[in-house]
Amino acid sequence: AVYEAAGPSVVFITSRVIAYDFFMQPIPQEGSGSGFVYDNQGHIVTNYHVVEDADEVTVAFAGGESYPAIILGQDPSTDLAVLKIDAPDLPRALPVGNSQHLRVGQFVVAIGNPFGLERTLTLGVISALERVIESPNGRFIGEAIQTDAAINPGNSGGPMLNMSGEVIGVNSQIISTSGSSAGIGFAIAS
């Protein structure tokens, strides 16, 4: 039920950066991640590192619709960014829950686009609360949520939801020696 309600509001984000080779020829480089519909005005929440230094950002929905986005706000200290799209008939905004009432052992789901596989749901529990993780600018983010729900590259920016379908965090990073889920993922508390 959580997936059916929240899944359509989870988006696939593609960012493009133009780099230059040795001969000063432009070389487009793409990255991808996840995000979610925050309100009915076209605001999308994601991670800062998903859109960092992007020259172009595109937001795609489950039905295949794709829209150019502008970066309205970004904060590397919290690894959060807000995008804006102009799209008709947006899916419903995901309700934001209160992360101050979470408990270790509580079930959570993560929805995102790991390895480009759109709208994938993983299930786990809150493994720990008030973890401190490093932000993209080398500072520290306090009160992160640790989970064993599989978080992989591409899940970044997607929602971590409680069983009521409320966003309690934004999936952000993992600890792994292989680069894939090792059962230690982190979300920025709502």
Side-chain angles (χ1 to χ4, degrees):
V2 171
Y3 182 78
E4 288 177 7
S9 302
V10 177
V11 299
F12 184 79
I13 297 173
T14 305
S15 62
R16 177 181 267 187
V17 176
I18 305 298
Y20 295 90
D21 66 12
F22 180 75
F23 301 104
M24 296 306 293
Q25 298 297 312
I27 301 171
Q29 298 174 336
E30 286 193 351
S32 64
S34 303
F36 60 92
V37 177
Y38 180 75
D39 62 21
N40 62 4
Q41 297 171 4
H43 293 108
I44 307 291
V45 172
T46 189
N47 284 135
Y48 166 80
H49 76 262
V50 170
V51 296
E52 182 178 3
D53 299 326
D55 295 308
E56 297 175 21
V57 178
T58 304
V59 171
F61 288 90
E65 308 90 0
S66 184
Y67 302 95
I70 58 170
I71 302 171
L72 277 188
Q74 50 190 337
D75 182 11
S77 295
T78 59
D79 196 18
L80 292 173
V82 177
L83 310 178
K84 175 80 165 81
I85 60 170
D86 289 320
D89 303 320
L90 287 169
R92 77 176 183 95
L94 294 183
V96 177
N98 186 341
S99 60
Q100 293 182 351
H101 303 294
L102 301 177
R103 296 186 327 256
V104 172
Q106 182 177 339
F107 284 103
V108 293
V109 297
I111 303 177
N113 305 293
F115 304 110
L117 300 170
E118 295 182 16
R119 293 182 34 228
T120 298
L121 178 136
T122 58
L123 172 70
V125 297
I126 294 174
S127 304
L129 296 166
E130 299 182 17
R131 292 294 196 213
V132 177
I133 57 175
E134 190 172 353
S135 67
N137 65 354
R139 295 182 179 213
F140 294 95
I141 302 169
E143 301 181 13
I145 302 165
Q146 181 182 330
T147 184
D148 67 348
I151 307 290
N152 284 294
N155 274 107
S156 291
M160 175 182 286
L161 304 137
N162 61 21
M163 293 291 105
S164 297
E166 298 170 322
V167 176
I168 57 165
V170 179
N171 299 316
S172 181
Q173 56 185 262
I174 61 174
I175 292 178
S176 172
T177 56
S178 68
S180 296
S181 178
I184 303 176
F186 299 97
I188 299 159
S190 63

